[in-house]
Structures are given as C-alpha cells and as structure tokens.
Amino acid sequence: MRASDWIGQGGQQQWDDWSSLLRLLVVGITQFGAQLSELDSQSLYVVTAHGGEDYDPGRKQLLSDSPVEVQGSWHVIATGERITEGNLKISVLTEALYRQQLQAPAGLSNKAILDRLNAAAQLVVGDVDRNGTIDYDDVLRWNQTIDGAFLLGPQDKLAALSDAVTSGQPADMLDLHSREVLGSQRVEMSFDVGTVLLETYNWESPVTAANFLNYVRAGFYDQMLVHRAINGFMIQMGLLSFDGYNDEDRVTWSIRTPGPSIINEASNRLSNSRGTLSMARTSDPNSATAQFFINQADNSFLDFGSSNNPDGYAVFARVYSGMSVVDEIAAEPTTQLAGVGSDVPARGVLLQSVRFL
C-alpha cells in the first residue's frame, strides 16, 4: 500500500502521529521526494533494491572476481547516513531481517527497532567487520562470496529464501523462509539431578534470545545455583554463583554481576505455558538482565496483556526434553536466604553447565 492509501483510510492525523519508521515498515518502501543529502543521518529508513550485485564500497577487502548477482527485490533497513554514503549491502540476509522486523508490535521507537535489528544480526552472522561486536552493520557488510564463513545458519535456508524472492513468492512464504534463516539454537542445561534440552525462539524474541545466548557463550550460567523453586509454578536461576562448600559442608555463594538490561519482548504472542523459558525482571518491564525461569505449569497470568501482568514476561525458548528434571527441582524443599528471599532450594541445586548443541 502507498502512503496515500493509509491516509485515505485512517486520516492525515493518524499518519502524522506515526513514527517515521512505523510508516516505512507499514508501507514497505520509502520513496524519496527530496535529495538524499536531506535525509536525517541517524534515522532509520527502508530501502528496496532491485537487481544489481552484492557490493560494499566501504570495505577494505576487495570483492572477488565473481560477485554474487542479486535478482528480485531485497529490503534494507538502514540509517540515512548509510544511504547517502551508498554503503549498503544488498543481500538476502537483509530481506530476512526486514521480514523479522515486520513482526514487531506497532509504536516501537527507532532505538527499539535498532535493538531488535542488532540482536537479530547476532543470531545469523558473526563479526564480519571484525570490530569486536556483532550488529546490523555486519549484516549490511556480509557478502556471500567473501564472508560465507560468517553465516551462522545453514546455507540452504538462505538459498531457499533467495529463490523465494526471485520467484516472487507471497509474503507468508517469505516469512516462513526468513524464520528458518534466523533459525533456533539448541542448548543443553546440565543440573546435578539431570539434563534439560531447550531451543530458542529467535524469530519471535530476537533481543531476548540473543541476550540469553550471549550469556551462554560467555559461560555466565556455569556453576550457578537455582535460587527459586515453587512447585506447580516455576524454577529460576541466573543470580547466584556456586562458590563451593565451607568447613561445615554448607553451600557458599555470591551474587554474579549481569550485563545491561534489555527491552521487554513479552508482546511476541508467546504464552508462558509449561516448559517455556521466560526472563525474570523487576516491576520495570525493561529491567531483565540474566535471570530467567522455566515455567513448570501453564502460567498465562504472566502473559502480555493479562490483568495481573499487562506488560508480561518475555518467553524466549522452550524445553523439548527433560521436564521431569524441572519437576524434580521444583519439588525440592526450600528455605529463606538472607539477601535472596524465600523459596530457595535448601540443599543448593546446582546448574553445572549450559552448552550449545
């Protein structure tokens, strides 16, 4: 739909009230009525590229003698600065992340969208520009000919999306292929009573999934204690480091320092059903850091829009094997621990390691 179509349906005032990014995401393409130099350098825009070749004039490394030809149309979400510099990477990866952003709830700020883009990038590529971080710049710079090794997912999933774009398949098929490009990560959690296997929801919860996986990659969750267990509700971890035993054979612990907080993705339409993993937080919806919990029961009262918790708790993964282990931990006798609270497993349930599969 064109902008005039939306104005005709909702009125000029509604259109004016929308953020520039929301308008671009709804319409699907920006049509420049002004010179490129008049673009806001820091604002995000949607650009659609037709045909051409993969290129990136800003890279120091030269392209190969046979750059990958781009057919069909690819969408790029980029800053005005990148557009004016011409430093855009046209590749099917940008289409995958563009379609992922279309799932975002309305009303997100430019920063929130950029947070989602950066997180989604961490799920599909490595550090392409070798600057020590992974963000959407790495997607824009990724070139299939040169940077194929930086693709985290299977090449065939990316090829399927490329074929879908080239053959003009409908949006729902593009979404399906894009979802497979973002994929999911399988993770093994080893407790002292057994193993729990889970997989992440990268498509629905890119920020939360990337945050969790970054902690896993750093070994943050290794040798931690389950610090909350409520039978018929959930088990929670990500706060207490297991430091060993004292002379009285009692568990010793310390509080592990997490990274920065993330935005709340509870509006991703995933429910806190039995076996799902969600982020723990304070009363501030955007305060989640490293703590997470596994729902032992169907806890829909924690979902976005519920009467008791309208902001919701963000689901980012699900258990596909090992719920009996979760049940056993939830049934552990508990006690109260100064500085931590109540419902702490009395014997000290140990999360030994969390590893990628």
Side-chain angles (χ1 to χ4, degrees):
M1 297 181 70
R2 295 170 297 180
S4 58
D5 297 325
W6 284 96
I7 293 171
Q9 289 187 16
Q12 185 68 48
Q13 184 60 48
Q14 180 193 64
W15 180 257
D16 292 341
D17 288 342
W18 283 352
S19 69
S20 60
L21 183 61
L22 176 59
R23 279 181 278 178
L24 290 168
L25 289 176
V26 167
V27 174
I29 182 172
T30 180
Q31 299 176 350
F32 297 112
Q35 296 298 316
L36 295 183
S37 60
E38 297 182 23
L39 289 175
D40 180 357
S41 63
Q42 297 306 311
S43 289
L44 294 171
Y45 298 89
V46 177
V47 179
T48 303
H50 302 277
E53 295 177 331
D54 270 356
Y55 74 105
D56 184 355
R59 276 188 63 89
K60 297 179 182 179
Q61 185 178 1
L62 296 177
L63 294 175
S64 71
D65 294 332
S66 56
V68 176
E69 182 178 355
V70 176
Q71 300 177 7
S73 298
W74 274 261
H75 302 282
V76 179
I77 304 176
T79 61
E81 182 179 11
R82 280 206 174 277
I83 296 170
T84 55
E85 288 181 351
N87 191 18
L88 295 177
K89 173 60 59 132
I90 306 171
S91 81
V92 73
L93 276 182
T94 63
E95 171 70 11
L97 268 64
Y98 168 78
R99 302 221 63 89
Q100 197 276 337
Q101 297 310 311
L102 291 180
Q103 314 303 311
L108 292 183
S109 65
N110 280 13
K111 181 183 182 304
I113 292 289
L114 191 57
D115 285 345
R116 286 172 56 85
L117 281 168
N118 288 337
Q122 295 171 30
L123 299 169
V124 297
V125 294
D127 186 10
V128 176
D129 56 15
R130 299 173 177 84
N131 68 350
T133 61
I134 302 172
D135 53 29
Y136 189 60
D137 281 349
D138 291 292
V139 170
L140 291 177
R141 290 180 181 275
W142 185 83
N143 178 275
Q144 185 169 341
T145 306
I146 294 176
D147 306 312
F150 286 97
L151 183 67
L152 299 184
Q155 180 67 46
D156 62 331
K157 303 298 183 184
L158 198 62
L161 176 59
S162 178
D163 292 343
V165 173
T166 303
S167 61
Q169 293 188 23
D172 58 345
M173 290 302 297
L174 296 180
D175 287 347
L176 176 62
H177 290 299
S178 297
R179 179 190 291 265
E180 292 178 341
V181 168
L182 265 77
S184 64
Q185 176 64 53
R186 292 197 162 189
V187 173
E188 177 186 76
M189 303 177 65
S190 297
F191 294 91
D192 57 8
V193 292
T195 299
V196 174
L197 304 180
L198 60 93
E199 60 182 2
T200 55
Y201 291 116
N202 293 355
W203 176 260
E204 294 88 349
S205 307
V207 173
T208 319
N211 178 69
F212 172 76
L213 295 175
N214 285 336
Y215 281 119
V216 174
R217 189 174 292 109
F220 182 90
Y221 295 123
D222 295 349
Q223 296 297 300
M224 297 202 86
L225 295 170
V226 176
H227 67 272
R228 195 176 180 204
I230 304 177
N231 203 13
F233 182 25
M234 60 83 183
I235 64 172
Q236 185 170 327
M237 59 223 80
L239 174 66
L240 300 184
S241 173
F242 169 67
D243 296 338
Y245 298 93
N246 62 18
D247 294 339
E248 298 176 349
D249 204 30
R250 292 181 178 274
V251 170
T252 61
W253 55 272
S254 59
I255 294 180
R256 198 166 289 183
T257 303
S261 58
I262 59 174
I263 62 171
N264 185 6
E265 291 184 302
S267 58
N268 57 15
R269 294 181 288 276
L270 296 177
S271 179
N272 283 268
S273 57
R274 174 175 164 81
T276 57
L277 281 73
S278 290
M279 294 306 298
R281 58 173 177 80
T282 67
S283 57
D284 177 359
N286 300 310
S287 61
T289 54
Q291 293 186 51
F292 66 94
F293 58 91
I294 303 177
N295 287 293
Q296 193 209 3
D298 291 334
N299 297 319
S300 60
F301 68 92
L302 299 178
D303 292 351
F304 178 81
S306 59
S307 57
N308 292 333
N309 298 282
D311 292 311
Y313 289 76
V315 173
F316 65 92
R318 74 172 185 92
V319 173
Y320 67 87
S321 177
M323 276 305 294
S324 60
V325 174
V326 175
D327 293 335
E328 182 175 346
I329 296 172
E332 287 275 352
T334 60
T335 186
Q336 187 164 333
L337 188 62
V340 178
S342 56
D343 305 309
V344 181
R347 69 170 183 84
V349 176
L350 178 60
L351 175 57
Q352 297 166 323
S353 66
V354 184
R355 295 284 184 267
F356 292 142
L357 291 178

